[in-house]
Amino acid sequence: LLTNRFPTALSDKVKFLKAVEFGLSKQTTALLAPTIILPLGIAVPIIAAKIFKGNPLGQFMTAYKLRVTLVPLFDIIMLLAVRSLKDATEFSSMAIFWAAVVGSTALFSIVESMQFNAQMVFFAHRVDPAIGGTYMTLLNTAANLGGTWPASVVMYMVGQMSVPPTCESVNGSEICSGGRESYFPLQAIFSVLGCTWVYFMGSKVKHLADLPDEAWRTHQDDDDIGTDVETTKRRKRGKKAR
């Protein structure tokens, strides 16, 4: 819970910031939420539940593998298309531009919905009814922390590794040269980290999936029942003695 979101943090937190920096309008990014992200967020959990049928961690890992391989590739294609074709007027160029933006957004929304749905289903199935609310809060807090701390680290890394271009005015027009864009090499590094996480942690996730429900119980009710039985026995002995 605390480490799986680090390899995906660049796509989660920086992709659309870079897209706006490269020329994608904020109106376009706002339009993507109600037209693509929201409908997929509703439909994907329903379809995924029918496909994976009670195997939430299997669903989680399938989505995670896509999230560290295909999603970064689609993100890079989208950013290159935005940077190169944002002012295109030809139909073919505009079609490539919108296909890249919609494809990247849709794939990201699909895998994110699959993971979130799988996580919630797994928590709900494994939670101990004796302390249900507290148990769910603990698991969700850990999951939220795992999705929050990578953002600060990734933002810092992007800022430190990026070098702005040098711009100068020539004959009334601004010409920029040099500079270094850190997003693309960092995305490759994070994809490798994600594949490494799958390799080392995949067996641990499978082990968690195979654990019986009893392994997640606190047995708080058992202690209470044992205390009540012992109290009842003592009362009966006291009545007999009288």
Side-chain angles (χ1 to χ4, degrees):
L1 290 177
L2 296 176
T3 59
N4 75 89
R5 295 290 292 276
F6 182 66
T8 68
L10 204 61
S11 292
D12 296 349
K13 309 298 182 182
V14 182
K15 174 182 67 177
F16 278 113
L17 295 178
K18 279 295 174 185
V20 172
E21 179 183 326
F22 288 165
L24 187 68
S25 67
K26 293 182 180 179
Q27 291 84 351
T28 301
T29 59
L31 182 64
L32 295 173
T35 57
I36 298 176
I37 298 175
L38 180 60
L40 287 175
I42 297 173
V44 167
I46 299 173
I47 298 172
K50 294 182 179 180
I51 294 174
F52 291 93
K53 296 179 180 178
N55 183 19
L57 290 187
Q59 175 181 324
F60 183 92
M61 290 303 296
T62 300
Y64 191 77
K65 291 172 184 177
L66 294 175
R67 198 166 184 171
V68 298
T69 53
L70 282 183
V71 169
L73 178 61
F74 274 61
D75 290 348
I76 290 174
I77 293 173
M78 186 267 281
L79 290 176
L80 292 175
V82 169
R83 187 165 65 177
S84 305
L85 305 173
K86 62 179 183 294
D87 297 322
T89 56
E90 296 180 0
F91 176 79
S92 59
S93 299
M94 293 178 62
I96 294 173
F97 171 83
W98 281 106
V101 172
V102 172
S104 174
T105 305
L107 181 61
F108 174 79
S109 180
I110 289 170
V111 297
E112 184 179 42
S113 297
M114 286 178 64
Q115 281 195 280
F116 181 76
N117 173 252
Q119 177 180 295
M120 291 296 100
V121 170
F122 181 76
F123 289 172
H125 282 181
R126 296 301 190 271
V127 69
D128 190 343
I131 53 170
T134 305
Y135 213 143
M136 284 290 288
T137 301
L138 174 64
L139 294 174
N140 281 317
T141 300
N144 291 335
L145 178 61
T148 302
W149 74 264
S152 301
V153 177
V154 167
M155 293 288 188
Y156 178 79
M157 292 175 66
V158 171
Q160 290 297 310
M161 295 179 64
S162 296
V163 177
T166 302
C167 299
E168 58 182 5
S169 180
V170 178
N171 297 327
S173 61
E174 190 177 45
I175 299 177
C176 298
S177 60
R180 182 178 66 232
E181 177 55 59
S182 63
Y183 181 91
F184 301 109
L186 274 177
Q187 188 65 278
I189 294 171
F190 275 62
S191 293
V192 173
L193 284 177
C195 294
T196 304
W197 191 95
V198 171
Y199 179 79
F200 284 103
M201 302 300 290
S203 59
K204 297 184 182 297
V205 173
K206 187 177 184 304
H207 173 68
L208 290 177
D210 293 337
L211 287 175
D213 291 348
E214 188 66 20
W216 297 86
R217 300 294 186 257
T218 61
H219 300 287
Q220 183 70 31
D221 284 343
D222 296 346
D223 294 339
D224 293 340
I225 292 172
T227 302
D228 292 341
V229 170
E230 186 63 28
T231 302
T232 301
K233 289 181 178 179
R234 289 176 181 175
R235 289 175 179 174
K236 287 182 178 180
R237 293 195 198 104
K239 290 182 180 178
K240 290 180 180 180
R242 292 175 184 173

Coordinates of all heavy atoms in Angstrom, one line a residue, residues 140-192:
N140 N -7.6 2.3 4.5 CA -7.8 3.4 3.6 C -6.8 4.5 3.9 O -6.3 5.1 3.0 CB -9.2 4.0 3.7 CG -10.2 3.2 2.9 OD1 -9.9 2.7 1.8 ND2 -11.4 2.9 3.5
T141 N -6.4 4.7 5.2 CA -5.4 5.7 5.5 C -4.1 5.3 5.0 O -3.3 6.1 4.4 CB -5.3 5.9 7.0 OG1 -6.6 6.3 7.5 CG2 -4.2 6.9 7.4
A142 N -3.7 4.0 5.1 CA -2.5 3.5 4.5 C -2.4 3.7 3.0 O -1.4 4.1 2.4 CB -2.2 2.1 4.9
A143 N -3.6 3.3 2.4 CA -3.6 3.5 0.9 C -3.5 4.9 0.5 O -2.8 5.2 -0.5 CB -4.9 2.9 0.4
N144 N -4.2 5.8 1.2 CA -4.1 7.2 0.9 C -2.7 7.8 1.1 O -2.2 8.6 0.3 CB -5.1 8.0 1.7 CG -6.6 7.7 1.3 OD1 -6.8 7.3 0.2 ND2 -7.5 7.9 2.2
L145 N -2.1 7.4 2.1 CA -0.7 7.8 2.4 C 0.2 7.3 1.3 O 1.1 8.1 0.8 CB -0.2 7.3 3.7 CG 1.2 7.6 4.1 CD1 1.4 9.2 4.2 CD2 1.6 7.0 5.4
G146 N 0.0 6.1 0.8 CA 0.8 5.6 -0.3 C 0.6 6.3 -1.6 O 1.5 6.3 -2.5
G147 N -0.5 6.9 -1.8 CA -0.8 7.7 -3.0 C -0.4 9.2 -2.9 O -0.4 9.9 -3.9
T148 N -0.1 9.6 -1.6 CA 0.2 11.0 -1.4 C 1.7 11.4 -1.4 O 2.1 12.3 -2.1 CB -0.5 11.5 -0.1 OG1 -1.9 11.3 -0.2 CG2 -0.2 13.0 0.1
W149 N 2.4 10.6 -0.7 CA 3.8 11.0 -0.5 C 4.6 10.9 -1.8 O 5.6 11.8 -2.0 CB 4.5 10.1 0.6 CG 4.8 8.7 0.2 CD1 4.1 7.6 0.4 CD2 6.0 8.2 -0.5 NE1 4.6 6.5 -0.1 CE2 5.8 6.8 -0.7 CE3 7.1 8.8 -1.1 CZ2 6.8 6.0 -1.4 CZ3 8.1 8.0 -1.7 CH2 7.9 6.7 -1.8
P150 N 4.4 10.0 -2.8 CA 5.2 10.1 -4.0 C 5.0 11.4 -4.8 O 6.0 11.7 -5.5 CB 4.6 8.9 -4.8 CG 4.0 8.0 -3.8 CD 3.4 8.9 -2.8
A151 N 3.9 12.1 -4.7 CA 3.7 13.3 -5.4 C 4.8 14.3 -5.1 O 5.4 14.9 -6.0 CB 2.3 13.9 -5.2
S152 N 5.1 14.5 -3.8 CA 6.1 15.5 -3.5 C 7.5 15.1 -4.0 O 8.2 16.0 -4.5 CB 6.1 15.7 -1.9 OG 4.9 16.1 -1.4
V153 N 7.8 13.8 -3.9 CA 9.1 13.4 -4.3 C 9.3 13.5 -5.8 O 10.3 14.0 -6.4 CB 9.3 11.9 -3.9 CG1 10.6 11.4 -4.5 CG2 9.2 11.7 -2.4
V154 N 8.2 13.2 -6.6 CA 8.3 13.2 -8.0 C 8.3 14.7 -8.5 O 9.1 15.0 -9.4 CB 7.0 12.5 -8.7 CG1 6.9 12.9 -10.1 CG2 7.2 11.0 -8.5
M155 N 7.5 15.6 -7.9 CA 7.6 17.0 -8.3 C 9.0 17.6 -8.1 O 9.5 18.3 -8.9 CB 6.6 17.8 -7.5 CG 5.1 17.5 -7.8 SD 4.6 18.1 -9.4 CE 2.9 17.8 -9.3
Y156 N 9.6 17.2 -6.9 CA 11.0 17.7 -6.6 C 12.0 17.1 -7.7 O 12.8 17.9 -8.2 CB 11.4 17.2 -5.2 CG 12.8 17.6 -4.8 CD1 13.1 18.9 -4.4 CD2 13.8 16.7 -4.9 CE1 14.4 19.2 -4.1 CE2 15.1 17.0 -4.6 CZ 15.4 18.3 -4.2 OH 16.7 18.6 -3.8
M157 N 11.9 15.9 -8.0 CA 12.8 15.3 -9.0 C 12.6 15.9 -10.4 O 13.6 16.2 -11.0 CB 12.5 13.8 -9.1 CG 12.9 13.0 -7.9 SD 12.4 11.2 -8.0 CE 13.5 10.7 -9.3
V158 N 11.4 16.2 -10.8 CA 11.2 16.8 -12.1 C 11.8 18.2 -12.1 O 12.4 18.6 -13.1 CB 9.7 16.9 -12.4 CG1 9.4 17.7 -13.7 CG2 9.2 15.4 -12.7
G159 N 11.6 18.9 -11.0 CA 12.1 20.3 -10.9 C 13.6 20.3 -10.9 O 14.2 21.2 -11.5
Q160 N 14.2 19.4 -10.2 CA 15.7 19.4 -10.1 C 16.4 18.9 -11.4 O 17.5 19.4 -11.7 CB 16.1 18.5 -9.0 CG 15.8 19.0 -7.6 CD 16.5 20.3 -7.3 OE1 17.7 20.4 -7.4 NE2 15.8 21.3 -6.8
M161 N 15.7 18.0 -12.1 CA 16.4 17.5 -13.3 C 16.1 18.2 -14.6 O 16.7 18.0 -15.6 CB 15.9 16.0 -13.5 CG 16.4 15.1 -12.4 SD 15.8 13.4 -12.5 CE 16.7 12.9 -14.0
S162 N 15.1 19.1 -14.6 CA 14.7 19.9 -15.7 C 15.6 21.2 -15.8 O 15.9 21.8 -14.8 CB 13.2 20.3 -15.7 OG 12.4 19.2 -15.8
V163 N 16.0 21.5 -17.1 CA 16.8 22.7 -17.3 C 16.0 23.6 -18.3 O 15.8 23.1 -19.4 CB 18.2 22.4 -17.8 CG1 18.9 23.7 -18.1 CG2 18.9 21.6 -16.8
P164 N 15.6 24.8 -18.0 CA 14.8 25.6 -18.9 C 15.7 26.0 -20.1 O 16.9 26.2 -19.9 CB 14.3 26.8 -18.1 CG 15.3 26.9 -17.0 CD 15.8 25.5 -16.7
P165 N 15.1 26.2 -21.3 CA 15.8 26.6 -22.4 C 16.2 28.1 -22.3 O 15.6 28.9 -21.6 CB 14.9 26.4 -23.6 CG 13.5 26.5 -23.0 CD 13.6 25.9 -21.6
T166 N 17.3 28.5 -23.1 CA 17.7 29.8 -23.1 C 17.0 30.5 -24.3 O 17.1 30.1 -25.4 CB 19.2 29.9 -23.3 OG1 19.9 29.2 -22.2 CG2 19.7 31.3 -23.3
C167 N 16.4 31.6 -24.0 CA 15.6 32.3 -25.1 C 16.2 33.7 -25.3 O 16.7 34.4 -24.4 CB 14.1 32.5 -24.7 SG 13.3 30.9 -24.4
E168 N 16.2 34.1 -26.6 CA 16.7 35.4 -27.0 C 15.9 35.9 -28.1 O 15.3 35.2 -28.9 CB 18.2 35.3 -27.4 CG 18.5 34.4 -28.5 CD 20.0 34.3 -28.8 OE1 20.8 35.0 -28.1 OE2 20.3 33.7 -29.8
S169 N 15.8 37.2 -28.2 CA 15.0 37.9 -29.3 C 15.9 38.2 -30.5 O 16.9 38.9 -30.3 CB 14.4 39.1 -28.7 OG 13.6 39.8 -29.7
V170 N 15.4 37.7 -31.6 CA 16.2 37.9 -32.9 C 15.2 38.4 -33.9 O 14.2 37.7 -34.3 CB 16.8 36.6 -33.4 CG1 17.5 36.9 -34.7 CG2 17.8 36.1 -32.4
N171 N 15.4 39.7 -34.4 CA 14.6 40.3 -35.4 C 13.1 40.3 -34.9 O 12.2 40.1 -35.7 CB 14.7 39.6 -36.7 CG 16.1 39.7 -37.3 OD1 16.8 40.7 -37.1 ND2 16.5 38.7 -38.0
G172 N 12.9 40.6 -33.7 CA 11.5 40.7 -33.2 C 10.9 39.4 -32.8 O 9.7 39.4 -32.3
S173 N 11.5 38.3 -33.0 CA 10.9 37.0 -32.7 C 11.8 36.3 -31.6 O 13.0 36.4 -31.6 CB 10.8 36.1 -33.9 OG 12.1 35.8 -34.5
E174 N 11.2 35.6 -30.8 CA 11.9 34.9 -29.7 C 12.3 33.5 -30.1 O 11.5 32.7 -30.6 CB 11.0 34.8 -28.4 CG 11.7 34.3 -27.2 CD 10.8 34.3 -26.0 OE1 9.7 33.9 -26.1 OE2 11.3 34.8 -24.9
I175 N 13.6 33.2 -30.0 CA 14.2 31.9 -30.3 C 14.7 31.3 -29.1 O 15.6 31.9 -28.4 CB 15.3 32.1 -31.4 CG1 14.7 32.7 -32.7 CG2 15.9 30.7 -31.7 CD1 15.7 32.9 -33.8
C176 N 14.3 30.1 -28.8 CA 14.8 29.3 -27.6 C 15.6 28.1 -28.0 O 15.3 27.5 -29.0 CB 13.6 28.9 -26.8 SG 12.6 30.2 -26.1
S177 N 16.6 27.9 -27.3 CA 17.5 26.8 -27.6 C 18.0 26.2 -26.3 O 18.0 26.8 -25.2 CB 18.7 27.2 -28.5 OG 19.5 28.2 -27.8
G178 N 18.5 24.9 -26.4 CA 19.1 24.3 -25.2 C 18.0 23.8 -24.3 O 16.8 23.6 -24.6
G179 N 18.4 23.6 -23.0 CA 17.4 23.1 -22.0 C 17.4 21.6 -22.0 O 17.9 20.9 -22.9
R180 N 16.8 21.1 -21.0 CA 16.6 19.6 -20.8 C 15.3 19.3 -20.2 O 14.9 19.8 -19.2 CB 17.7 19.1 -20.0 CG 17.7 17.5 -19.8 CD 18.8 17.0 -19.0 NE 18.7 17.4 -17.6 CZ 19.7 18.0 -16.9 NH1 20.9 18.3 -17.5 NH2 19.6 18.4 -15.7
E181 N 14.5 18.4 -20.9 CA 13.2 18.0 -20.4 C 13.4 16.7 -19.7 O 13.8 15.7 -20.2 CB 12.2 17.8 -21.6 CG 10.9 17.3 -21.2 CD 10.2 18.1 -20.1 OE1 10.0 19.4 -20.3 OE2 10.0 17.6 -19.0
S182 N 13.0 16.7 -18.4 CA 13.3 15.5 -17.5 C 12.2 14.5 -17.6 O 12.3 13.3 -17.1 CB 13.6 15.9 -16.1 OG 12.4 16.5 -15.5
Y183 N 11.0 14.8 -18.1 CA 9.8 14.0 -17.9 C 10.0 12.6 -18.6 O 9.8 11.6 -18.1 CB 8.6 14.6 -18.5 CG 7.3 13.8 -18.4 CD1 6.5 13.8 -17.3 CD2 7.0 12.8 -19.4 CE1 5.4 13.0 -17.2 CE2 5.9 12.0 -19.3 CZ 5.1 12.1 -18.2 OH 4.0 11.3 -18.1
F184 N 10.6 12.7 -19.9 CA 10.6 11.4 -20.7 C 11.7 10.4 -20.1 O 11.3 9.2 -20.0 CB 10.9 11.8 -22.1 CG 9.9 12.7 -22.7 CD1 10.2 14.0 -23.0 CD2 8.6 12.2 -23.0 CE1 9.2 14.8 -23.5 CE2 7.6 13.0 -23.6 CZ 7.9 14.3 -23.8
P185 N 12.9 10.8 -19.8 CA 13.8 9.8 -19.1 C 13.3 9.4 -17.8 O 13.4 8.2 -17.4 CB 15.1 10.6 -19.0 CG 14.8 12.0 -19.1 CD 13.6 12.1 -20.0
L186 N 12.6 10.3 -17.0 CA 12.1 9.8 -15.7 C 11.0 8.8 -15.9 O 10.9 7.9 -15.1 CB 11.6 11.0 -14.9 CG 12.6 11.8 -14.1 CD1 11.9 13.0 -13.5 CD2 13.2 10.9 -13.0
Q187 N 10.2 9.0 -16.9 CA 9.1 8.0 -17.2 C 9.6 6.7 -17.5 O 9.1 5.6 -17.0 CB 8.2 8.5 -18.3 CG 6.9 7.8 -18.5 CD 6.0 7.9 -17.4 OE1 6.1 7.2 -16.4 NE2 5.0 8.7 -17.5
A188 N 10.7 6.6 -18.2 CA 11.3 5.3 -18.5 C 11.9 4.7 -17.2 O 11.7 3.4 -17.0 CB 12.5 5.5 -19.5
I189 N 12.5 5.5 -16.4 CA 13.0 4.9 -15.1 C 11.9 4.4 -14.2 O 12.0 3.4 -13.6 CB 13.9 6.0 -14.4 CG1 15.1 6.4 -15.2 CG2 14.2 5.6 -13.0 CD1 15.9 7.6 -14.7
F190 N 10.8 5.2 -14.2 CA 9.7 4.8 -13.3 C 9.0 3.5 -13.8 O 8.5 2.7 -13.1 CB 8.7 5.9 -13.2 CG 9.1 6.9 -12.1 CD1 10.3 7.7 -12.2 CD2 8.3 7.1 -11.0 CE1 10.6 8.5 -11.2 CE2 8.6 8.0 -10.0 CZ 9.8 8.7 -10.1
S191 N 9.0 3.4 -15.1 CA 8.4 2.1 -15.7 C 9.2 0.9 -15.3 O 8.7 -0.1 -15.0 CB 8.3 2.2 -17.2 OG 7.4 3.2 -17.6
V192 N 10.6 1.1 -15.3 CA 11.4 0.0 -14.9 C 11.2 -0.3 -13.4 O 11.2 -1.5 -13.0 CB 12.9 0.3 -15.1 CG1 13.8 -0.7 -14.5 CG2 13.2 0.5 -16.6

